[in-house]
Amino acid sequence: MDFRFTPEEEAFRQELRSWLRENVPPNWEGVFLEEEVEEWKQGLAFVRKLAEKGWVAPAWPKEYGGMEASPALQLAYNEEMGYQRAPIGSIVQSVGYIGPAILFFGTEEQKRQHLPPVTAGETVWCQGYSEPEAGSDLASLKTRAVKDGDDYVINGDKTWTSNAHRSDWCILLARTDPAAPKHKGISFFLVDMKSPGITVQPVMNMANVHSFNQVFFEDVRVPKSALLGQENQGWYIAAMTLDFERSSLVAMAVSMAKRALDDLVGYCRETRVKGKSLLASPLVRHKLAEMAIEIEVGKYMVYRVVSLQARMEPGSIEAAVCKLYNTELDVRVANTGLEILGLYGQLHKDSKWTQLMGRFQKSYMYAIAMVVGGGSSEIQRNIIAMRGLGLPRG
Amino acid sequence: MDLGLSEEQELLKGFVRDFLEKECPETRVREMEEDERGYKPEFWRMMAAQGWQGMIIPQQYGGTGMTFTDLIVLLEEFGRALVPGPFISTVVLGAIPILQAGTEEQKQAFLPKIAAGELIMTLALTEPSARWDADGVAMPARAEGDSFVLSGTKLFVPDAHVSDCMLVAARTKESANPEDGITLFLVDSKSAGIQFTALKTIAADKQCEVAFNEVRVPKANVLGEVDKGWPIIRGVKSKAAVAACAYMVGLAQMDFDITLEYAKQRIQFGRPIGSFQAIQHKFADMIIDVDGSRFITYKAAWALQENEPDAEMLVSMAKAWCNEAARRVVAHGQQIHGGIGFTKDYKIELYFRRQKWMELMWGDADYHRELVADKLAI
Ligand SMILES: Cc1cc2nc3c(=O)[nH]c(=O)nc-3n(C[C@H](O)[C@H](O)[C@H](O)COP(=O)(O)OP(=O)(O)OC[C@H]3O[C@@H](n4cnc5c(N)ncnc54)[C@H](O)[C@@H]3O)c2cc1C
């Protein structure tokens, strides 16, 4: 039981922190992934600077541009990136779980083709899992990949595909064996988004931003080298990537929540009601304290997952517990922020009256996307109960 | 950074669990609820033979010199087995402040006896005002010759009736700052003028009303300095709060384990109730609460052990969280058991009642949230 980081880890944290303070664009909103056109461009530029430092994917092997960072160093990295709201929306998926899947299941050639461009900040990836009829029940997906000589030909519709409109590559789940039980006939592909036959259609989200898309595949021909792992092994790979996804995103989210708390405390200190600071109001104090406590609890759930990784102990449901708790926490955090800001809470960041850059308003919307995406809260609870605790299927 | 237990701690945990399964089964826990003393001397001696009372006492005073986080590992197992008796009172409320503030003579006089299982202690802090802060210490002690004379009532004092010696907090000076003017006394529990009345509580643990009627305490029995007892008490309160957290972590984990087993066995509508999603999701929420409690407790314990600057804040965070999380767990435990949960004969009710006890001891969630807010506001 030791909560201390090593001196090297601390030194790296400090170095990264001061670098981020200089390099995160000034007045950066940074609530979710930078989604609007201008922000996206700034984010890409930032990632290129990060790449120059060799800091895009700390945990990866050096030969592919990583630092071979220990899990604890990676944690320190994630905490700093989250707290400083670093604009890394263009790489969270590729670094968080797509690259790790390629590292784990890819051929040497696939690794050499795909990983260095990610660490150089040159390629953007998207995730083609969900379909109109296959959300939580992902394994029922209908998109087909049919073998044709040395190629596969893909047909089907994907939906909610974040960043598809600005991605170079897509990880795609498609059915290769329709006769097999539904989990056993799926394969995992790495698809070039420039392939003929792919159409990307925008879907506007609740925050009036174009972030996700519908993606249509019409006779899209991909080479055999696009297959990751074995044919029909796709479900297994996907399940593993979802575990990576859960733990990598959450570490950043917790420290973003901590930042939100610190901002809110600052706001309360300055804001006076009836001549007294909001920090003197018992109700506000109660809310802030509860928020601080819940964030602290979430933090150590992340640390626990990292500890297991460092000990190379196979976790089972810890990542799911961590994702479930922390995404639900973010919903509460955003709501607490809005409650404390009162009428001002509803204002968009562009209003001259807005407080704290309208970040809580935006988080309030995006937080409820996170309890759906990456496996909804209900699905996490199912996984915990059945996979983790061995409770019988209903 | 590693939140797992060390190899020694794993060994300790396994050993303690096995030992308690044998020596402190449910029947013993129930027996001690009815027992006036609330503990069995044989059992106390067996624990001492394992070195548990002396675990955090340095070797030079007859202990084994282990760490506070080691003690937390032990107490988690105590919570799991619902170990009754004056262990926390003696070790956390007694040995720790003596270690921290005692003179060499006091250490020599008390610590080896505690380690040997020959001395039971407690801390008499709270009064009928039922407050944990310095304002709550109102009972006066007036200086008279080479003694102090104590008169007044202490309430909710754990295990006082079986103690050999009590640390008593009393007011020796009125001052604008309530933290100034409190003195800690080592009081022989058999001193003339002390009267114990056991309280009937929800957990059937042994808390007492302790009436002091002109009780004379030699000046040599002051722990630390006159008027300067509060910082010592503050340190004890922190450690006691984390000890209560650890006990609740073990208690909640065991409630969870028992309930999970039950949900796999109990058949309704032709299937185990654990196959119903409404029940499954309760289990997922219970895991969050148990795990969340465990790791914030470890962090608070570690921070105290390492004298981290934010240790007190972490203690309050841990206690506020564990109080409510453990309560949610035992409430789900009751619900999933249905009617049998409400019966006296079945074990799950023990966990429900004891959780409330530990929730209230050393500060409930509102109290600790307020302390967290104080620190946030700085
Ligand atoms: C912001 C955002 C970005 C996304 N980005 C991507 C992306 O880039 N690529 C991609 O492939 N997908 C993406 N998704 C899609 C996401 O993975 C799905 O929305 C998610 O898997 C849920 O599927 P669904 O929307 O079809 O909801 P449904 O599966 O229809 O679920 C609706 C409701 O029913 C509940 N439910 C379903 N099954 C069960 C069950 N067995 N037990 C209990 N309750 C159940 C769900 O929990 C939910 O509350 C994104 C989603 C969001 C919100």
Side-chain angles (χ1 to χ4, degrees):
Chain A
M1 203 188 293
D2 182 7
F3 287 78
R4 199 168 277 126
F5 288 82
T6 65
E8 299 77 53
E9 288 156 1
E10 277 304 335
F12 176 71
R13 184 195 284 281
Q14 294 307 331
E15 187 187 353
L16 178 62
R17 183 178 297 173
S18 35
W19 187 86
L20 288 170
R21 285 203 179 122
E22 272 167 30
N23 287 283
V24 172
N27 283 328
W28 188 249
E29 179 205 59
V31 167
F32 193 61
L33 313 175
E34 49 283 5
E35 307 204 288
E36 283 159 272
V37 181
E38 205 34 52
E39 282 81 5
W40 181 262
K41 277 196 205 140
Q42 283 178 277
L44 287 178
F46 174 86
V47 169
R48 277 191 210 107
K49 282 201 229 168
L50 198 63
E52 280 165 28
K53 300 289 290 182
W55 286 348
V56 168
W60 294 10
K62 290 194 175 133
E63 54 179 319
Y64 306 119
M67 298 164 62
E68 284 166 24
S70 67
L73 189 75
Q74 172 75 41
L75 171 64
Y77 172 90
N78 285 337
E79 289 188 326
E80 291 309 310
M81 297 294 269
Y83 194 82
Q84 305 298 336
R85 304 186 174 112
I88 51 170
S90 63
I91 53 167
V92 283
Q93 306 206 71
S94 54
V95 172
Y97 63 94
I98 297 172
I102 295 175
L103 270 170
F104 208 88
F105 295 98
T107 61
E108 190 48 45
E109 213 180 322
Q110 285 171 325
K111 291 183 207 172
R112 258 186 275 126
Q113 178 186 4
H114 293 298
L115 301 180
V118 170
T119 46
E122 284 162 4
T123 44
V124 177
W125 284 75
C126 62
Q127 179 200 55
Y129 285 4
S130 307
E131 298 179 5
E133 304 298 327
S136 300
D137 183 13
L138 183 57
S140 69
L141 57 90
K142 294 203 182 71
T143 296
R144 286 277 280 126
V146 179
K147 203 146 194 189
D148 183 28
D150 266 358
D151 298 338
Y152 288 92
V153 176
I154 298 170
N155 276 287
D157 304 347
K158 293 290 171 180
T159 193
W160 318 130
T161 324
S162 303
N163 295 328
H165 55 306
R166 42 203 175 193
S167 287
D168 306 293
W169 289 87
C170 176
I171 51 169
L172 180 91
L173 290 180
R175 191 162 300 285
T176 34
D177 183 357
K182 63 180 185 177
H183 295 87
K184 302 222 161 110
I186 296 169
S187 296
F188 196 112
F189 293 95
L190 313 171
V191 177
D192 187 339
M193 287 297 282
K194 289 185 294 296
S195 314
I198 299 181
T199 321
V200 176
Q201 206 175 77
V203 177
M204 296 304 278
N205 71 20
M206 170 166 69
N208 203 26
V209 172
H210 173 198
S211 101
F212 43 44
N213 304 273
Q214 211 162 350
V215 184
F216 302 96
F217 293 80
E218 234 185 301
D219 292 328
V220 176
R221 188 168 280 277
V222 299
K224 210 171 67 186
S225 62
L227 179 70
L228 185 71
Q230 306 296 313
E231 205 174 86
N232 299 325
Q233 197 193 8
W235 181 256
Y236 178 68
I237 302 177
M240 204 149 144
T241 63
L242 285 171
D243 263 356
F244 291 141
E245 180 179 12
R246 274 161 209 153
S247 41
S248 65
L249 288 178
V250 171
M252 254 178 268
V254 179
S255 51
M256 283 178 83
K258 177 69 167 64
R259 179 65 177 272
L261 169 70
D262 291 349
D263 288 355
L264 202 54
V265 170
Y267 170 85
C268 293
R269 181 174 293 122
E270 318 266 277
T271 305
R272 303 191 86 75
V273 174
K274 293 190 189 164
K276 277 206 216 143
S277 152
L278 264 187
L279 278 183
S281 148
L283 279 176
V284 169
R285 292 166 65 82
H286 178 103
K287 286 179 188 182
L288 290 175
E290 184 57 28
M291 185 167 156
I293 292 164
E294 291 182 10
I295 291 170
E296 201 70 14
V297 168
K299 177 170 160 182
Y300 303 120
M301 288 192 184
V302 172
Y303 279 35
R304 195 266 297 258
V305 172
V306 173
S307 295
L308 287 172
Q309 286 167 351
R311 287 179 167 218
M312 313 241 263
E313 283 176 24
S316 63
I317 48 167
E318 291 78 9
V321 169
C322 193
K323 191 268 181 188
L324 171 60
Y325 175 81
N326 280 296
T327 52
E328 294 197 337
L329 165 65
D330 286 340
V331 174
R332 296 192 294 273
V333 165
N335 191 52
T336 300
L338 285 203
E339 281 178 356
I340 289 177
L341 292 170
L343 282 172
Y344 285 100
Q346 65 193 315
L347 293 175
H348 188 272
K349 74 166 190 284
D350 295 339
S351 164
K352 75 166 191 180
W353 292 99
T354 202
Q355 296 292 343
L356 299 175
M357 290 188 73
R359 286 189 179 110
F360 281 97
Q361 184 247 39
K362 193 167 176 195
S363 312
Y364 184 70
M365 289 186 280
Y366 278 92
I368 61 160
M370 300 318 292
V371 286
V372 172
S376 70
S377 288
E378 289 73 24
I379 295 302
Q380 303 302 327
R381 287 187 170 87
N382 291 348
I383 291 174
I384 291 167
M386 290 188 287
R387 206 207 295 169
L389 305 177
L391 286 166
R393 250 169 217 291
Chain B
M1 193 277 299
D2 177 21
L3 272 59
L5 303 184
S6 68
E7 242 170 80
E8 299 79 48
Q9 287 172 335
E10 285 290 358
L11 282 174
L12 172 71
K13 184 188 172 91
F15 182 82
V16 175
R17 182 170 298 184
D18 293 345
F19 178 91
L20 292 176
E21 271 169 13
K22 219 166 72 227
E23 304 299 340
C24 188
E26 184 192 340
T27 46
R28 168 65 51 83
V29 175
R30 290 194 183 279
E31 212 183 302
M32 290 304 105
E33 289 205 341
E34 309 298 331
D35 187 273
E36 216 179 281
R37 285 172 311 190
Y39 83 105
K40 265 210 174 341
E42 300 94 273
F43 182 59
W44 188 254
R45 281 193 290 273
M46 284 171 82
M47 290 202 291
Q50 305 305 329
W52 294 350
Q53 284 91 326
M55 197 167 174
I56 52 160
I57 294 175
Q59 282 168 355
Q60 71 205 90
Y61 303 114
T64 43
M66 291 166 79
T67 63
F68 186 63
T69 50
D70 295 334
L71 180 68
I72 290 303
V73 171
L74 178 91
L75 289 176
E76 194 178 322
E77 291 306 312
F78 272 39
R80 188 180 174 90
L82 301 178
V83 173
F87 186 88
I88 294 181
S89 298
T90 301
V91 175
V92 181
L93 308 183
I96 285 179
I98 293 175
L99 258 173
Q100 192 193 323
T103 61
E104 188 52 36
E105 224 176 330
Q106 288 167 336
K107 289 180 188 172
Q108 294 289 0
F110 288 94
L111 299 177
K113 282 194 182 158
I114 290 177
E118 287 161 9
L119 190 85
I120 291 175
M121 283 196 67
T122 190
L123 169 67
L125 172 65
T126 41
E127 300 184 8
S129 65
R131 299 176 63 155
W132 297 107
D133 53 14
D135 279 306
V137 180
M139 183 174 94
R142 61 167 202 281
E144 240 184 56
D146 56 3
S147 301
F148 280 91
V149 179
L150 280 58
S151 276
T153 300
K154 291 285 175 182
L155 199 55
F156 309 111
V157 184
D159 308 304
H161 65 314
V162 294
S163 68
D164 301 298
C165 172
M166 292 182 286
L167 256 180
V168 182
R171 194 154 286 286
T172 35
K173 188 175 82 183
E174 290 300 334
S175 95
N177 173 8
E179 296 186 3
D180 182 28
I182 294 171
T183 304
L184 270 173
F185 299 94
L186 285 155
V187 179
D188 186 334
S189 302
K190 286 181 282 300
S191 312
I194 301 183
Q195 200 188 345
F196 300 102
T197 314
L199 307 173
K200 279 193 122 149
T201 61
I202 187 166
D205 61 312
K206 309 299 165 189
Q207 297 173 45
C208 299
E209 173 189 338
V210 186
F212 292 82
N213 183 10
E214 298 282 307
V215 177
R216 215 159 254 286
V217 185
K219 279 190 172 159
N221 288 17
V222 168
L223 185 77
E225 282 177 58
V226 173
D227 295 337
K228 303 227 168 8
W230 186 252
I232 307 170
I233 296 171
R234 203 164 153 159
V236 179
K237 280 201 315 168
S238 285
K239 295 211 162 122
V242 179
C245 289
Y247 196 94
M248 279 194 283
V249 170
L251 174 157
Q253 178 73 59
M254 190 59 178
D255 190 292
F256 173 89
D257 291 351
I258 294 169
T259 305
L260 181 62
E261 200 45 42
Y262 185 77
K264 288 178 180 173
Q265 306 301 334
R266 171 72 178 164
I267 309 285
Q268 284 295 282
F269 299 96
R271 52 199 260 209
I273 56 168
S275 67
F276 296 112
Q277 198 173 60
I279 302 286
Q280 293 186 342
H281 286 195
K282 282 194 169 62
F283 279 109
D285 290 337
M286 287 161 89
I287 285 253
I288 287 182
D289 280 333
V290 175
D291 282 358
S293 297
R294 175 171 293 120
F295 295 105
I296 188 118
T297 296
Y298 287 179
K299 171 70 191 230
W302 180 85
L304 280 175
Q305 175 179 300
E306 303 294 317
N307 292 314
E308 293 285 302
D310 57 351
E312 277 196 355
M313 165 114 133
L314 285 159
V315 169
S316 284
M317 287 177 151
K319 188 65 169 51
W321 170 269
C322 291
N323 282 345
E324 301 200 326
R327 186 173 67 232
R328 289 190 292 264
V329 170
V330 298
H332 279 343
Q334 292 304 120
Q335 185 66 18
I336 292 171
H337 274 88
I340 199 174
F342 197 61
T343 57
K344 176 126 177 116
D345 293 338
Y346 187 70
K347 57 191 166 189
I348 203 73
E349 61 94 25
L350 288 169
Y351 293 82
F352 186 75
R353 288 187 290 113
R354 263 144 221 267
Q355 183 282 328
K356 180 54 80 181
W357 162 47
M358 279 297 171
E359 175 184 340
L360 296 177
M361 291 311 280
W362 311 104
D364 61 16
D366 285 339
Y367 171 76
H368 282 287
R369 264 192 296 264
E370 183 58 22
L371 294 181
V372 171
D374 281 345
K375 304 219 154 69
L376 282 176
I378 292 168

